[in-house]
């Protein structure tokens, strides 16, 4: 292995390769930090540019994009409360409140450092235990996905905190919105009212853009915030990485747990950073002695979210390289890229093209460092850029969101979806309903239903056979546990409040 | 004098002829979008991208691949159908479009478009089992299915090409399998690796490494004769199952697109298909560049479509039978 | 409607919606005629929604009965601005397939900036400049450099 590593690093330490990595990270960060533009889009757009390149160089660029893009989302999440990519949704929830208190430096610094660490941990997993991880991922059949989805759905309860009923409602609304489109298995359109554009359902990206970006624009329009003096956000002091060694050490357990969640979700084909950041955040909140502090601007929230979303990078590369099966949307694009360059990922890739594989590992490691350095020095620049007055910044961001939504499937319909969700988000905010559970509903609904129905097919209609699968049983228990835990906690809090009143 | 008049007449004729040629619409003058109704990284996407690489050179303009995934490919095909017939939007698809119509998902078929011809032929539609399974060939699989009706599993994507194949298979052999939906090609691979199903239907190119590394075993290919690129795989017909399902990839333009534009594009396809480099690239994935002119393609596709519709009832009613038996 | 009645009202609306959903779920066309077809999950969700909305109704009753607290309004909500924003967003999406990305984006940007900067120090020249530069810049970057398709319309 050592020789392969040496060869891999050697292939990457060329001028062309290093340039590509740096360029990739740079472009990735830009795409990641602009709401509406995603990592997947960055890879999709740059893929044709790589056709003339030798495979190793092409991979350097793509790995740079992947890492830059996934971590870039934290910048806009923290500074303007709009997630740059679906991977940084949870970062908004505590990152922005921190910024509003003048602690943007700490939030950004922590986000960058823990993105780096999360990626690093997942790369270690990828390099050293990819095969066993892949074997583990293979154990996940429809029943396991169903159970896992159920468990993740209970996170809605954690996210909702005090507003349990409202949170559940919003989560259910997310599930309902996800029903629109083709039903899993039968493929018949459901709830489409004959509108063919709805056959494909609502894509998560326009939904996200609408819920966060548009509703933010509408709120800004409504309040006279734009008239008030700006901007505590961008005037912040920063020493080093913005947080103390003591704070850093205090986050260790959080970091490892979140990284584990990120890697675990990453290795499962079909779900990635977009889900792991929310799940890690929720788990962190549920395990914390003071869950109320989440949402008000606590470091733990940012750390959990940013560690896990970057950890999903290494995680998603595991099934891609070992099985030829993409772990998330970005790796699906990368798979296409690999195949066009004549590399078929799968069991033989390591044997026939070992140097390329280790070159990919080396690119990931180097790109990770490049990301750390670029973002650290770039924090001031980002703050400056995002201190452009809101009345100019937000419209421009919306225009870019339109590009992102349209570019998804080349149709204006997705732009309409953005606005629909913008209205939904705005109304929910006005009525004091939490919006965060909706994302979980939209992402996990299809996963749960598909898992359930496929599981029933496999077990010939016998639901009780679901409980013969150990991993499934584990998650079923975890689900029940979470439900009880959340309910009890909620009742207890209610009693405490009534006692105080 | 006469010869001068002759020359003059010829010159005038030549001049007029050159104008006539120029009067034909200049095509293409800007990039062409090819809509692929499938996700990136799959075989449809890959074949299209390889073709696009060479088409660009023939047409002189960029050929841009746009993935419009969803609803079994109907989102993509519908988009092209509703596009302007100016020759700058094309569809690259395969038999699944007929299946969309079969299942009632759409009400149109290839005849509602202008056909630019067939470009790629995939004669590697196979059934694959995990190497650890006891099935060495089709007949083992069939016997097992007959011994335990409704228990032996086959993974497919509902409404997809492999779904049609398994229905035809059951019809031809009388085997009663538990047909489960697992989703896309990648998910089928995972399901087979994880031994959650007994067999899958897929194209060879995607799993060739698994065969080479000894993880998968191919028990039959659905072509008329053995595929020279995978000569060790016996055909279904050889093994007594009369089934042949080639997977053909074609380009369609919206109805009303001028014939000379379609013709120009079609000629480009023909040139690419004859290009040895293009062939070599496609052959790496066990598919071949085979050109069929629009006229020939239309006839061929009509034949194929008629074959599929034979199984329409089976497709729509398959699940009903299963569930009722269970009750 | 006074704010204290909002919870109650939303609860009732949600409950009604859950019933509609349930009925709709019964009519979903399925390939399998069985208990667990495509209508099953929607029905389950509809039932859960019904229960959750009942909880909200109860909570809403409590809030409505409580003393009407003095709602600290964050200044005057500018409804006109919200509606205007929404209106130009709709127009933007509606006109884009016809007029093309560049024109509609430039118009949208100019109008939106003006809406959001109402009452503030406005700099029309800057706004026009930003609108034009941004929309042209985005178009050329994505369409020419990246080959992404954006609606072309008249001018592009």
């Amino acid at each position: 292995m050592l020789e392969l590593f040496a060869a891999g690093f050697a292939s990457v330490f060329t001028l062309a390769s290093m340039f590509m990595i740096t360029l990739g990270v740079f472009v990735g960060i830009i795409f990641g930090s602009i709401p509406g533009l995603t990592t997947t889009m960055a890879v999709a757009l740059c893929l044709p540019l790589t056709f003339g390149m030798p495979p190793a160089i092409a991979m350097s660029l793509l790995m740079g994009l992947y890492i830059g893009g996934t971590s870039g989302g934290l910048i806009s999440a923290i500074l303007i409360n709009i997630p740059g990519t679906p991977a940084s949704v949870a970062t908004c929830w505590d990152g922005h409140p921190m910024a509003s208190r003048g602690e943007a430096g700490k939030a950004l610094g922590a986000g960058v450092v823990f993105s780096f660490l999360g990626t690093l941990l997942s790369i270690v997993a990828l390099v050293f235990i990819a095969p066993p991880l892949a074997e583990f991922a293979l154990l996940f059949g429809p029943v396991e996905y169903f159970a896992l989805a159920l468990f993740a759905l209970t996170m809605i309860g954690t996210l909702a905190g005090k507003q349990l009923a409202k949170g559940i409602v919003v989560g259910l609304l997310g599930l309902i919105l996800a029903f629109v489109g083709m039903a899993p298995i039968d493929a018949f359109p459901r709830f489409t009212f004959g509108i063919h554009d709805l056959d494909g359902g609502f894509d998560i990206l326009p939904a996200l853009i609408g819920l966060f970006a548009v509703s933010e624009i509408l709120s800004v329009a409504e309040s006279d915030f734009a008239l008030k003096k700006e901007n505590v956000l961008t005037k912040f002091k920063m020493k080093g990485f913005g947080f103390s060694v003591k704070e850093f050490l205090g986050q260790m357990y959080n970091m490892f747990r979140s990284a584990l969640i990120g890697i675990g979700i990453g290795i499962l084909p079909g779900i990635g950073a977009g889900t792991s950041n929310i799940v890690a955040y929720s788990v962190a909140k549920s395990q914390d002695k003071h869950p109320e502090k989440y949402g008000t601007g606590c470091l733990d929230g940012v750390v959990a979210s940013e560690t896990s979303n970057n950890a999903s990078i290494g995680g998603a590369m595991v099934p891609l390289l070992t099985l030829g099966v993409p772990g998330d949307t970005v790796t699906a694009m990368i798979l296409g890229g690999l195949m066009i360059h004549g590399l078929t990922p799968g069991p033989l890739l390591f044997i026939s093209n070992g140097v390329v594989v280790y070159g990919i590992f080396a690119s990931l490691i180097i790109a990770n460092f490049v990301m750390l350095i670029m973002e650290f020095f770039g924090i001031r620049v980002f703050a400056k850029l995002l201190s452009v007055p809101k009345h100019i910044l937000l419209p421009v961001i919306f225009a870019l969101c339109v590009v992102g939504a349209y570019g998804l499937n080349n149709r204006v319909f997705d732009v309409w979806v953005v606005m629909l969700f913008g209205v939904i988000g705005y109304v929910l905010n006005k009525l004091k309903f939490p919006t965060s559970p909706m994302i979980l509903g939209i992402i996990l609904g299809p996963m749960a239903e598909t898992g359930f129905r496929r599981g029933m097919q496999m077990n010939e209609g016998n639901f009780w056979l679901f409980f013969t699968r150990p991993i499934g049983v584990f998650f079923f228990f975890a689900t029940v546990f979470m439900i009880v835990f959340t309910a009890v906690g909620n009742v207890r809090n209610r009693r405490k409040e009534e006692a105080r009143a | 004098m006469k010869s001068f008049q002759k020359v003059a007449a010829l010159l005038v004729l030549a001049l007029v002829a050159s104008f006539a040629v120029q009067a034909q619409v200049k095509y293409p003058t800007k990039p062409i979008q090819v809509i692929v109704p499938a996700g990136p990284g799959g075989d449809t996407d890959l074949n299209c991208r390889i073709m696009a690489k060479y088409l660009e050179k023939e047409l002189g303009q960029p050929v841009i691949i746009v993935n419009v995934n969803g609803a079994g490919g109907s989102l993509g095909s519908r988009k092209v159908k509703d596009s302007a017939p100016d020759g700058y939007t094309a569809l690259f698809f395969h038999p699944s479009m007929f299946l969309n119509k079969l299942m009632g998902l759409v009400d149109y078929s290839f005849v509602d478009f202008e056909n630019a011809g067939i470009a790629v032929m995939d004669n590697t539609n196979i059934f694959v089992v995990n190497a650890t399974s006891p099935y060495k060939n089709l007949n083992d699989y069939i016997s097992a299915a007959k011994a335990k009706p409704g228990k032996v599993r086959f993974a497919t994507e509902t409404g997809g090409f492999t779904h049609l194949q398994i229905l035809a298979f059951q019809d031809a052999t009388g085997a009663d399998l538990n047909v489960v939906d697992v989703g896309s090609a990648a998910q089928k691979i995972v399901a087979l690796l994880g031994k959650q199903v007994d067999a899958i239907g897929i194209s060879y190119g995607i799993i060739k490494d698994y065969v080479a590394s000894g993880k998968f075993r191919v028990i039959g290919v659905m072509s008329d004769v053995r595929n020279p690129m995978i000569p060790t795989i016996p055909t279904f017909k050889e093994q007594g199952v009369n089934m042949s399902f080639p997977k053909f990839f074609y380009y369609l333009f919206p109805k009303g697109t001028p014939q000379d534009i379609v013709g120009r594009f079609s000629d480009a396809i023909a040139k690419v298909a004859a290009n040895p480099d293009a062939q070599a690239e496609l052959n790496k994935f066990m598919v071949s560049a085979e050109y069929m002119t629009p006229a020939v393609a239309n006839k061929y596709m009509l034949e194929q479509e008629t074959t599929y519709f034979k199984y329409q009832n089976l497709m729509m009613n398959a699940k009903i039978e299963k569930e009722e038996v269970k009750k | 409607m006074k704010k204290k009645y909002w919870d109650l009202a939303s609860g009732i609306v949600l409950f009604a919606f859950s019933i509609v959903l349930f009925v709709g779920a019964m009519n979903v066309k399925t390939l399998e005629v069985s208990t667990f077809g495509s209508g099953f999950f929607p029905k389950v969700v509809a039932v859960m929604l019904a229960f959750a909305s009942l909880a909200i109704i109860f909570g809403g009753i409590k809030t409505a009965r409580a003393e009407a607290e003095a709602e600290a309004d964050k200044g005057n909500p500018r409804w006109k601005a919200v509606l205007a924003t929404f209106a130009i967003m709709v127009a933007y999406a509606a006109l884009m397939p016809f007029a093309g990305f560049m024109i509609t984006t430039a118009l949208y940007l100019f109008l939106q900036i003006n809406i959001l900067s109402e009452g503030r120090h406005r700099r029309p020249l800057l706004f026009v400049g930003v609108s034009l530069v941004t929309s042209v810049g985005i178009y050329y970057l994505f369409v020419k450099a990246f080959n992404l398709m954006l609606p072309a319309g008249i001018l592009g």
Side-chain angles (χ1 to χ4, degrees):
Chain A
M1 198 198 237
L2 230 58
E3 324 84 54
L4 275 175
F5 237 127
F9 263 99
S11 73
V12 162
F13 267 116
T14 65
L15 204 61
S17 199
M18 295 296 277
F19 174 71
M20 277 302 157
I21 292 180
T22 314
L23 182 67
V25 175
F26 180 67
V27 173
I29 294 179
I30 294 186
F31 268 77
S33 59
I34 298 179
L37 307 179
T38 61
T39 320
T40 315
M41 189 189 214
V43 175
L45 292 179
C46 292
L47 206 54
L49 301 176
T50 67
F51 284 164
M53 305 178 196
I57 313 268
M59 284 301 123
S60 306
L61 178 68
L62 296 180
M63 292 303 120
L65 286 171
Y66 197 3
I67 290 188
T70 309
S71 89
L74 67 92
I75 299 170
S76 52
I78 291 174
L79 291 176
I80 55 174
N81 202 26
I82 302 178
T85 68
S88 297
V89 168
T91 312
C92 299
W93 300 336
D94 276 276
H96 189 73
M98 281 178 79
S100 304
R101 286 202 306 250
E103 291 182 330
K106 189 192 282 195
L108 288 167
V112 170
V113 168
F114 284 95
S115 288
F116 171 77
L117 290 173
T119 318
L120 197 62
L121 286 171
S122 72
I123 295 177
V124 166
L126 170 66
V127 172
F128 293 108
I129 53 171
L133 281 179
E135 289 293 318
F136 179 67
L138 284 179
L139 294 173
F140 274 74
V143 174
E144 285 77 9
Y145 272 90
F146 171 61
L148 177 64
L150 279 187
F151 173 66
L153 281 169
T154 61
M155 296 289 132
I156 292 177
T158 320
L159 284 180
K162 290 217 197 89
Q163 303 181 290
L164 192 57
K166 284 187 172 179
I168 293 180
V169 164
V170 174
L172 290 172
L173 287 176
L175 283 173
I176 294 173
L177 285 163
F179 285 143
V180 175
M182 293 225 312
I185 318 281
D186 318 35
F188 280 120
R190 226 175 9 179
F191 303 122
T192 60
F193 308 111
I195 304 175
H196 287 301
D197 274 320
L198 283 176
D199 283 348
F202 296 119
D203 208 285
I204 180 70
L205 182 67
L208 214 72
I209 297 174
L211 273 178
F212 290 95
V214 173
S215 60
E216 177 80 6
I217 296 179
L218 289 173
S219 323
V220 167
E222 176 194 342
S223 73
D224 48 13
F225 169 76
L227 298 174
K228 291 214 191 85
K229 286 244 158 70
E230 321 226 314
N231 218 330
V232 192
L233 290 165
T234 48
K235 296 192 187 5
F236 52 86
K237 295 223 187 306
M238 209 165 124
K239 245 194 270 176
F241 276 109
F243 54 96
S244 67
V245 176
K246 183 160 166 247
E247 284 173 316
F248 178 74
L249 291 173
Q251 294 296 325
M252 281 297 103
Y253 176 64
N254 188 4
M255 177 185 86
F256 279 109
R257 175 190 53 208
S258 306
L260 212 63
I261 293 177
I263 296 174
I265 292 187
I267 62 178
L268 295 176
I271 29 177
T275 315
S276 59
N277 75 96
I278 302 181
V279 173
Y281 179 91
S282 311
V283 171
K285 180 174 177 183
S286 66
Q287 287 201 336
D288 200 293
K289 287 206 181 54
H290 300 280
E292 334 69 65
K293 71 180 184 191
Y294 283 75
T296 63
C298 71
L299 195 59
D300 310 67
V302 174
V303 168
S305 172
E306 285 301 315
T307 312
S308 67
N309 67 18
N310 274 70
S312 290
I313 294 179
M317 293 293 288
V318 167
L320 175 69
L321 293 177
T322 55
L323 302 174
V325 171
D328 66 2
T329 48
V330 182
T331 41
M333 281 268 138
I334 295 178
L335 173 66
L338 280 169
M339 291 180 80
I340 295 194
H341 280 96
L343 302 162
T344 20
L348 292 187
L349 190 67
F350 281 75
I351 305 177
S352 56
N353 281 304
V355 182
V356 175
V357 174
Y358 278 85
I360 293 178
F361 294 159
S363 308
L364 280 169
I365 297 176
I366 297 178
N368 202 17
F369 280 98
V370 172
M371 183 261 300
L372 181 70
I373 299 172
M374 241 189 228
E375 286 191 350
F376 176 64
F377 285 112
I379 285 183
R380 296 255 158 243
V381 178
F382 301 135
K384 268 272 147 59
L385 282 175
L386 289 171
S387 69
V388 166
K390 282 240 164 113
H391 56 267
I392 295 185
L393 185 65
L394 288 181
V396 171
I397 287 185
F398 183 71
L400 287 163
C401 285
V402 167
V403 173
Y406 182 82
L408 199 58
N409 271 320
N410 241 262
R411 46 180 196 163
V412 187
F413 177 74
D414 287 313
V415 181
W416 292 108
V417 174
V418 169
M419 291 194 301
L420 170 70
F421 277 86
V423 170
I424 293 178
Y426 179 73
V427 168
L428 286 177
N429 276 326
K430 272 259 117 188
L431 294 176
K432 304 240 187 304
F433 277 70
T435 49
S436 43
M438 187 168 272
I439 314 276
L440 277 183
I442 296 183
I443 297 179
L444 296 168
M447 191 166 124
E449 186 178 12
T450 312
F452 176 73
R453 294 185 64 193
R454 283 186 185 155
M456 291 296 276
Q457 265 188 333
M458 273 197 195
N459 291 305
E460 297 139 38
N462 189 344
F463 183 66
W464 302 111
L465 286 178
F466 272 48
F467 296 105
T468 57
R469 316 257 321 173
I471 300 181
V473 170
F474 170 74
F475 280 109
F476 283 131
F477 271 118
T479 306
V480 172
F481 177 74
M482 277 307 291
I483 295 179
V484 170
F485 180 71
T486 315
V488 166
N490 193 265
V491 169
R492 224 186 265 161
N493 282 330
R494 206 85 68 78
R495 296 237 175 93
K496 257 195 239 162
E497 277 193 20
E498 274 158 26
R500 249 184 261 147
Chain B
M1 254 335 162
K2 248 204 173 159
S3 52
F4 175 69
Q5 278 177 335
K6 262 204 199 145
V7 172
L10 275 169
L11 275 172
V12 170
L13 216 62
L15 211 61
V16 170
S18 71
F19 272 127
V21 168
Q22 281 174 8
Q24 253 187 331
V25 173
K26 259 198 157 103
Y27 172 84
T29 57
K30 55 177 190 170
I32 302 174
Q33 270 193 78
V34 175
I35 310 279
V36 173
D43 65 331
T44 315
D45 179 69
L46 190 64
N47 293 338
C48 194
R49 285 185 197 268
I50 297 179
M51 286 295 298
K53 222 163 84 171
Y54 293 91
L55 277 172
E56 278 186 0
K57 299 196 192 119
E58 296 294 335
L59 292 167
Q61 285 282 340
V63 172
I64 303 172
I65 309 293
V66 177
N67 295 89
V68 181
N69 201 4
S74 66
L75 283 185
S77 62
R78 197 182 292 278
K79 183 181 167 76
V80 175
K81 178 161 177 287
D82 297 337
S83 294
D86 57 7
Y88 291 99
T89 311
L91 175 71
F92 181 84
F93 207 10
H94 56 66
S96 283
M97 188 160 91
F98 308 160
L99 299 173
N100 291 157
K101 178 164 183 208
L102 211 149
M103 297 201 26
L105 205 51
V106 302
D107 55 4
Y108 53 80
S109 184
F110 71 98
V111 295
D112 299 296
F113 293 76
E114 307 288 352
N115 199 335
I118 288 181
V120 178
M121 223 18 146
D122 179 353
N123 265 314
T124 68
N125 295 297
I126 53 179
F127 278 7
V128 187
V129 298
N130 196 306
T132 59
S133 85
Y135 313 119
K136 297 267 180 301
N137 52 48
L138 272 183
N139 287 301
D140 287 347
Y141 191 63
I142 297 171
S143 326
K146 289 195 172 157
K148 297 186 280 178
K151 291 260 179 266
V152 178
R153 292 180 185 164
F154 183 87
T156 181
E157 184 170 16
T158 312
F161 201 30
T162 52
H163 190 192
L164 184 74
Q165 290 164 9
I166 193 60
L167 288 174
F169 181 75
Q170 291 185 122
D171 190 55
T173 61
D176 177 13
L177 297 159
N178 185 1
V179 179
V180 283
D181 176 283
V182 297
S184 65
Q187 289 161 305
K188 285 181 198 157
I189 295 175
V190 169
L192 193 61
L193 277 174
K195 301 193 201 147
Q196 290 157 20
V197 293
D198 297 295
I200 62 176
I202 207 166
S203 284
Y204 190 89
I206 311 179
I207 51 118
K208 59 186 170 93
D209 283 349
Y210 286 97
V211 177
S213 67
K215 287 237 162 84
F216 283 174
R217 181 186 312 133
V218 181
I219 56 176
V221 60
M222 279 167 250
S223 51
D224 284 326
V225 294
R226 286 205 184 189
N227 189 325
M229 288 188 269
I230 42 169
T232 56
I233 315 284
T235 65
F236 274 48
K237 286 191 176 170
E238 272 178 65
Q239 302 184 67
V241 182
N242 191 9
M243 260 172 65
S244 171
F245 281 107
K247 192 169 182 182
F248 46 93
F249 295 85
Y250 48 83
Y251 286 90
L252 295 177
F253 281 94
K255 194 128 198 119
T257 309
Q259 281 305 310
D260 55 316
I261 289 183
V262 177
R264 198 80 61 80
F265 193 88
S266 196
D267 289 338
I269 301 176
K271 295 218 186 76
V272 172
N275 182 329
D277 292 330
Q279 284 173 1
E281 270 202 63
L282 288 167
N283 286 344
K284 264 203 282 188
F285 295 99
M286 311 318 188
V287 300
S288 46
E290 277 180 40
Y291 173 66
M292 274 191 219
T293 66
V296 174
N298 274 327
K299 216 172 113 214
Y300 179 76
M301 282 157 74
L302 194 60
E303 279 170 21
Q304 294 290 317
E305 194 184 26
T306 320
T307 327
Y308 299 172
F309 268 83
K310 273 201 317 203
Y311 300 105
Q312 181 175 32
N313 279 332
L314 283 178
M315 200 164 218
M316 303 298 275
N317 295 327
K319 295 283 147 52
I320 301 178
E321 288 179 37
K322 283 272 151 326
E323 290 295 324
E324 285 181 4
V325 167
K326 287 309 148 257
K327 288 193 190 114
Chain C
M1 193 191 306
K2 288 222 192 88
K3 271 211 176 135
K4 63 178 188 171
Y5 292 116
W6 279 3
D7 275 3
L8 182 59
S10 14
I12 296 177
V13 167
L14 286 166
F15 187 76
F17 179 63
S18 71
I19 297 182
V20 169
L21 179 65
F22 192 86
V23 172
M26 294 198 303
N27 292 327
V28 166
K29 184 178 173 195
T30 55
L31 195 54
E32 312 170 36
V33 179
S34 65
T35 11
F36 296 116
S38 297
F40 177 65
F41 250 58
K43 281 190 208 152
V44 170
V45 170
V47 169
M48 290 175 72
L49 183 64
F51 279 113
S53 46
L54 281 175
I56 295 184
I57 291 178
F58 286 136
I61 294 177
K62 261 197 232 160
T63 331
R65 282 212 199 113
E67 302 291 322
E69 300 139 22
E71 276 277 340
D73 260 332
K74 300 190 195 122
N76 296 315
R78 299 159 57 215
W79 300 117
K80 270 203 234 161
V82 175
L83 280 170
T85 301
F86 187 65
I88 59 170
M89 282 182 178
V90 170
Y92 184 18
L95 289 172
M96 208 189 310
F98 304 109
F101 179 80
M102 271 201 291
I103 299 182
T104 48
T105 304
L107 277 173
Y108 164 79
L109 284 174
F110 183 67
L111 290 172
Q112 181 77 84
I113 295 178
N114 272 302
I115 295 176
L116 290 179
S117 62
E118 205 179 295
R120 257 198 124 171
H121 176 47
R122 278 190 176 144
R123 300 158 73 179
L125 274 178
L126 175 67
F127 294 171
V128 171
V130 166
S131 307
L132 286 174
V133 169
T134 312
S135 69
V136 173
I138 293 179
Y139 186 80
Y140 276 95
L141 177 66
F142 283 94
V143 177
K144 300 296 174 190
F146 281 122
N147 267 327
L148 180 79
M149 291 299 194
L150 286 173
I154 314 173
L155 254 190

